[in-house]
Amino acid sequence: MRRYMSGRRARLWRGLCLAATLTFAVHPGVGSAAAEASYPVKSITMIVPFAAGGPTDVVARIVADSMSVTLGQPIIIENVVGSGGTTAVIRAKRSPPDGYTVVMGHMGTHGAAVALNPHLAYDPMRDFEPIGLVTNMPVLILARKRLDANTLGEFIELMRSRGESLNMAHAGVGSVSYATCLLLNSIVGTRPRMTAFQGTAPAMTALVEGRVDYMCDQAASVVPQIAAGTVKAYAVGTASRNLVLPDVPTSIEAGTAAFQASAWNALFVPKGTPKPVIASLNSALGKALDDDTVRSQLLRLGSEIPAPPERTPQSLAELVKSEIAKWTAAIRPANSEN
Ligand code: ASP
């Protein structure tokens, strides 16, 4: 009888141990207060949905350097390219919700992509926890240096007269460059040829080399090119001129007020990530955005740095919701024309 009881107990004990091990293996760190309290205990991967050297990548590397000092662990940047940034976001969505995979999303991946892809395999609001807004960055209308138009007005004339022969560069359906130039094309009423790249870094190389005619890109890639005189900048899509590009007119000044385009970058983690982990990441991000070196690096790229009230997860959740609504209204009609 004694032997029978102890055998049963032993089996029960083995069963409980196995269940506990499986729970831990499926969601390491999740549900474990000790793991959350000591977060992070190993390196963090920050997924960048576009090619190295582009605006998203540059912004990610600047804040990751500072955040890794605060968090006491390396942050490894992983460029996961393809499908206008959506491949990377799907990968992030499927990662364990433990704070060790973070994605640098933006106005395209977590806003316009919803309108651009009717079968998008993620929902920016349902599948992600917002960490915080990183930057706001104006979008500019750019052309190759030798294109036969020197002002936005002349360029729009050119688009109207022979838009079908122009070649527009973009970073894939879901990207900022695609969504914002789609808006421009629909304002003008033209359908150019389009060439997709894995980010605006390779698209910019093609523009500088004259292999494509125009694109819409975030200020970060543009500032050094404008300074070097390798591309033309017709207008910036914000209400006022950018501090580091004082000679570039706004779209309002240049006569096309309907082109309003500003992009933001923000950090997200998969849904289900524990609150204390989100709080640690948010506070490391806030510390980065208050750091003088980080601020001057971001400002030099034409970024605007969000003020503390705009940096909360709640404020980012509201931004994502309003941006999905805004770009859905702007893009669905433009997309159906193309
Ligand atoms: N900003 C992206 C990049 O970093 C491209 C895009 O969204 O247009 O390359």
Side-chain angles (χ1 to χ4, degrees), residues 50 54-56 106 171 175-177 199-200 218:
F50 297 98
T56 315
H106 71 4
S175 67
V176 166
S177 46
T200 47
Q218 288 145 275

Side-chain angles (χ1 to χ4, degrees), residues 301-334:
L301 295 171
S303 288
E304 286 157 23
I305 298 167
E310 293 175 86
R311 297 178 195 165
T312 64
Q314 182 54 32
S315 155
L316 178 55
E318 283 157 19
L319 176 70
V320 168
K321 190 172 173 202
S322 69
E323 287 281 280
I324 291 173
K326 171 181 151 185
W327 285 99
T328 300
I331 283 188
R332 286 233 162 109

Side-chain angles (χ1 to χ4, degrees), residues 48-51 53-58 84 106 108-109 170-172 174-180 198-202 216-218 221 265:
V48 169
F50 297 98
T56 315
D57 180 75
V58 170
H106 71 4
T109 59
H170 64 89
S175 67
V176 166
S177 46
Y178 184 83
T180 53
Q198 292 187 330
T200 47
C216 299
D217 197 12
Q218 288 145 275
S221 320
N265 283 104

Side-chain angles (χ1 to χ4, degrees), residues 19-279:
T21 311
L22 283 176
T23 306
F24 187 76
V26 172
H27 285 311
V30 175
S32 152
E36 288 163 25
S38 54
Y39 172 85
V41 294
K42 59 177 184 176
S43 64
I44 297 167
T45 297
M46 188 179 284
I47 297 181
V48 169
F50 297 98
T56 315
D57 180 75
V58 170
V59 166
R61 285 173 199 272
I62 293 172
V63 293
D65 273 356
S66 166
M67 287 175 72
S68 84
V69 172
T70 305
L71 293 166
Q73 290 291 342
I75 298 184
I76 295 153
I77 302 287
E78 199 181 330
N79 299 84
V80 178
V81 298
S83 303
T86 61
T87 303
V89 180
I90 294 167
R91 160 95 170 271
K93 169 190 157 175
R94 292 183 182 148
S95 303
D98 55 10
Y100 291 100
T101 306
V102 178
V103 62
M104 180 63 81
H106 71 4
M107 182 223 95
T109 59
H110 285 72
V114 173
L116 292 167
N117 300 286
H119 305 294
L120 193 62
Y122 61 88
D123 179 326
M125 291 188 289
R126 200 187 52 219
D127 297 326
F128 290 91
E129 305 278 3
I131 297 295
L133 186 63
V134 180
T135 59
N136 284 307
M137 210 183 273
V139 173
L140 291 102
I141 304 171
L142 308 163
R144 66 180 167 82
K145 197 178 164 183
R146 301 199 192 288
L147 193 72
D148 196 14
N150 290 323
T151 62
L152 183 60
E154 289 175 16
F155 178 54
I156 286 179
E157 277 313 306
L158 190 67
M159 289 175 94
R160 288 210 172 104
S161 60
R162 54 180 189 89
E164 280 78 5
S165 67
L166 294 176
N167 194 342
M168 173 192 125
H170 64 89
V173 179
S175 67
V176 166
S177 46
Y178 184 83
T180 53
C181 255
L182 201 62
L183 178 66
L184 175 68
N185 298 343
S186 98
I187 293 167
V188 179
T190 192
R191 291 183 193 196
R193 290 183 287 134
M194 296 189 187
T195 305
F197 294 85
Q198 292 187 330
T200 47
M204 179 60 85
T205 304
L207 192 69
V208 170
E209 291 173 358
R211 289 185 278 122
V212 292
D213 296 309
Y214 72 102
M215 77 164 165
C216 299
D217 197 12
Q218 288 145 275
S221 320
V222 177
V223 174
Q225 298 301 342
I226 293 178
T230 52
V231 295
K232 285 179 179 172
Y234 292 135
V236 59
T238 42
S240 46
R241 290 190 182 203
N242 189 266
L243 286 179
V244 295
L245 296 166
D247 298 331
V248 180
T250 66
S251 52
I252 302 169
E253 291 169 326
T256 306
F259 183 79
Q260 288 304 309
S262 172
W264 43 268
N265 283 104
L267 291 177
F268 298 86
V269 285
K271 197 75 173 181
T273 302
K275 293 272 179 285
V277 171
I278 293 174

Side-chain angles (χ1 to χ4, degrees), residues 67 70-71 131 277-290:
M67 287 175 72
T70 305
L71 293 166
I131 297 295
V277 171
I278 293 174
S280 295
L281 288 165
N282 176 271
S283 115
L285 173 61
K287 213 165 162 205
L289 296 179
D290 284 334

